[in-house]
Structure formats: C-alpha cells, structure tokens
Amino acid sequence: MTMHPATAAHHPPGPLRLVNSANTGNTVLRRLARTSLVRLYPGQYTELSAWLEASARARYELQLEALRHHSNPVFCCESALTVHGIATFGVPRRITTLAHGGRHGLQSETQHLAKGAAVSLPGFVPHVRHRHEGISQLTTSWASSVPAAHAGAQILLRAPLTHALTVSDGAARSGEWAQAAVAAEIRTSRPGPRRNRALLRLEAGRAGAQSPAESGSRAVILGAGFPEPELQHRFEDELGFVAQVDAWWDHLRLVGEVDGEVKYTNPAMTNGRGPLDVLRDEKRRENRLLAQGIQLRRWGWAEIVHPERLIALLGAAGLRTDSRAVLR
C-alpha cells in the first residue's frame, strides 16, 4: 500500500541530522558530545541547537532514525506509516515498535545528556512496544517495519476517527488494491464490533480528501452526523475557472475550505508566488464565489482538533446532524 508520501523518515530536512560513530568516528564523537551535542539514545546524538529549532515532524523522524541505529526495532502503527512515507494525522505522539516476547508497553525513559549533564529535551516522544497478532510478513526498506497495510489496519481498528480517516483517504487515493490490502488485514482481527467499525471506516475513505487536515475535517463532519460533502467541486463563472473547493453542500450552496500554512508556503501549491500574492489570489477567488450567491466557511487545524468549534461553525451555516448517520 503506497499513499501520498510524507517526508521520508531517513531524510530529515534542514540542519537537523543524526551524529554517531558511524558518520563521525569515535574520537570526533567524544569531542562533540562534550560541546554542542545532545544524546537521543546511547551512541546517537544531534546538535542541540538544531533540535530546538526544528519542526515537530523533523524531530520525530530523526528520533525514528536514532532508535533504528540504537536497537534496530520493528516499527508498527503510525511509526510504520512514517517509515513507509505515508501521511499521518499530525505528528505521532509516540514511537511504536513490536514487542517480540519481551516487555511491552511504555519503555523506560532515555536520559538525555548535553555537555555531560542530564537535560530535558522538548519534542522527544515516548517509545511504546506493542504486541500484534497475525502479521504475515515484515518489510524492510529504510528500516524494519510491519507492512503498510497492517499498520493502516491497526489505526482503523484502534485510533480516533481523525487518524483513521487519514489512513482511509490515503488508501482511497492509492486505489482499490490498497483498500483491498487494508481490508484483508482488518479481517484477520477478531470478529466483532471493532472489526465491523474498522471496515466501515475504510469504506468511508475518499480520494478527494487531499491532506490530513481535510481528512480530519471529514472525521469531525461525519462523526457529528452532518451530511457528507462533495469533495473538490469545481466552480466556473463567465471568466472561466474559479476554484476547486475542499467541501460543497449543494442543498445549502455552502462551501467549506480548510486553511493551512501549507497553502501559503508549499512550493508545489504556490506556483512561485509569495505569501502575499497567494492571499490576494485567494481573496479574488473568494469574491467570485460569493458573487454566485455562495456562502463560504473557513476553518483550520484549531477547529479540527477542537471539534466542537467546527461543529458550531457548520451548524450556524445551516447544516443539521442526523444521529443515524454518525460514523464512529
């Protein structure tokens, strides 16, 4: 199962990089460890200043790399998805690996050392070992991990709906073969309500949801029992193409747009424009939509992770919930 890629775990962006004896030599490593480095795991270091300045995603990916060099575990769940380059709903809050007959659950905390003294390292997430049943094989690309379809199935079985629909939408973008692979993994789990719910979550995947924020928005919308919107609806006027919007409810002539920093900073989406140019174009587009008698509601990550805000926003726009249509 391949989905739209996240940043590859073994290529952390910017100056953040792993330092160990393999890439510096023992003598240099000992000297650096006494000055500018902080220890992530025994024998695995990075520049403290770079860690403090890095994004949460870059820190997580470097921590995966450091743990791989330290103990070569088999990654599972959202850590496995990251290894496979598959988008997750936000940055995972833990690193998860398989427990092979040893102690499972939360692992003992690592002592981080800088200049020989213990320090607190912001953004360093806990390591949890899971027991999984029915894994048909392990795959090794950059690191050892469970198959992507198995990792996705575990999220659909156990994670909140926001995380689950991010996986479902990614599988839908990849095609029927990816959905079938995840479904087959779900069906290896114990029969019952949890398995049935996971299959319904998988069926709810839509290729038109093009980012974790859009998937998370759908989770709030469907989880509240709102009508499912049409995704990526195209609008035109007398001048031609106007917009392709994230969500469209025809019966209310309501457009929903998910705002995110990526729309203003990602070169793949800005087409060489600066942030101010993107904002101006966005305003022109909005005016052309409103001229067609369309109501527009915008929201961002804050409303997705505080779903009551998004529910209130859409309810005020005229959407009504139906308890019979709630996706769990």
Side-chain angles (χ1 to χ4, degrees), residues 252-298:
L252 291 175
R253 294 191 63 75
L254 171 63
V255 164
E257 284 282 80
V258 186
D259 284 332
E261 183 181 338
V262 66
K263 289 186 175 182
Y264 306 100
T265 60
N266 187 339
M269 303 183 72
T270 59
N271 297 317
R273 298 170 296 165
L276 286 178
D277 292 327
V278 174
L279 285 171
R280 291 191 192 100
D281 291 345
E282 190 81 9
K283 184 62 178 176
R284 293 189 192 102
R285 185 184 79 139
E286 183 176 317
N287 289 338
R288 290 170 70 186
L289 286 173
L290 296 176
Q292 299 185 40
I294 290 167
Q295 57 170 329
L296 176 65
R297 296 294 185 273
R298 295 184 177 278

Side-chain angles (χ1 to χ4, degrees), residues 14-32:
L16 190 62
R17 65 186 184 91
L18 190 66
V19 181
N20 55 31
S21 59
N23 58 32
T24 64
N26 288 322
T27 301
V28 174
L29 180 61
R30 284 194 293 270
R31 178 175 56 81
L32 290 174

Side-chain angles (χ1 to χ4, degrees), residues 169-232:
D169 291 341
R173 289 193 299 269
S174 296
E176 291 182 4
W177 67 273
Q179 293 172 303
V182 178
E185 289 285 351
I186 292 172
R187 291 191 178 98
T188 65
S189 65
R190 183 177 304 168
R194 177 181 286 180
R195 185 170 81 171
N196 295 339
R197 183 189 68 173
L199 290 169
L200 288 174
R201 288 173 160 191
L202 181 62
E203 291 174 6
R206 300 290 182 266
Q210 298 180 348
S211 71
E214 292 179 28
S215 297
S217 299
R218 295 184 62 246
V220 175
I221 291 164
L222 300 181
F226 285 130
E228 182 172 0
E230 178 185 346
L231 306 181
Q232 308 307 323

Side-chain angles (χ1 to χ4, degrees), residues 7 35 215 281 310:
T7 304
T35 55
S215 297
D281 291 345
L310 181 52

Side-chain angles (χ1 to χ4, degrees), residues 63-99:
Q63 189 178 338
L64 285 178
E65 184 180 6
L67 185 59
R68 176 180 73 90
H69 281 281
H70 170 56
S71 59
N72 193 29
V74 178
F75 294 106
C76 63
C77 301
E78 286 190 312
S79 295
L81 295 180
T82 303
V83 167
H84 287 279
I86 296 170
T88 59
F89 181 75
V91 179
R93 297 182 178 181
R94 58 186 63 187
I95 286 179
T96 48
T97 64
L98 285 186

Side-chain angles (χ1 to χ4, degrees), residues 45-260:
Y45 297 80
T46 192
E47 292 281 347
L48 178 59
S49 59
W51 177 276
L52 296 176
E53 294 172 1
S55 68
R57 172 65 66 179
R59 290 173 178 175
Y60 185 80
E61 292 170 354
L62 189 78
Q63 189 178 338
L64 285 178
E65 184 180 6
L67 185 59
R68 176 180 73 90
H69 281 281
H70 170 56
S71 59
N72 193 29
V74 178
F75 294 106
C76 63
C77 301
E78 286 190 312
S79 295
L81 295 180
T82 303
V83 167
H84 287 279
I86 296 170
T88 59
F89 181 75
V91 179
R93 297 182 178 181
R94 58 186 63 187
I95 286 179
T96 48
T97 64
L98 285 186
H100 286 300
R103 190 166 66 90
H104 68 284
L106 183 66
Q107 301 303 287
S108 59
E109 293 188 8
T110 297
Q111 187 180 44
H112 306 294
L113 301 175
K115 299 181 181 179
V119 297
S120 174
L121 197 58
F124 192 91
V125 300
H127 172 204
V128 177
R129 295 175 70 192
H130 286 173
R131 288 177 176 164
H132 288 225
E133 297 178 0
I135 301 176
S136 57
Q137 62 178 359
L138 301 180
T139 59
T140 302
S141 51
W142 162 74
S144 298
S145 77
V146 302
H150 177 84
Q154 294 303 309
I155 301 304
L156 288 165
L157 284 162
R158 294 177 171 82
L161 188 58
T162 46
H163 297 65
L165 280 193
T166 301
V167 170
S168 297
D169 291 341
R173 289 193 299 269
S174 296
E176 291 182 4
W177 67 273
Q179 293 172 303
V182 178
E185 289 285 351
I186 292 172
R187 291 191 178 98
T188 65
S189 65
R190 183 177 304 168
R194 177 181 286 180
R195 185 170 81 171
N196 295 339
R197 183 189 68 173
L199 290 169
L200 288 174
R201 288 173 160 191
L202 181 62
E203 291 174 6
R206 300 290 182 266
Q210 298 180 348
S211 71
E214 292 179 28
S215 297
S217 299
R218 295 184 62 246
V220 175
I221 291 164
L222 300 181
F226 285 130
E228 182 172 0
E230 178 185 346
L231 306 181
Q232 308 307 323
H233 184 81
R234 287 175 59 90
F235 285 92
E236 296 183 356
D237 61 14
E238 65 279 1
L239 299 177
F241 175 75
V242 178
Q244 185 166 297
V245 299
D246 296 331
W248 167 243
W249 290 270
D250 184 73
H251 69 290
L252 291 175
R253 294 191 63 75
L254 171 63
V255 164
E257 284 282 80
V258 186
D259 284 332

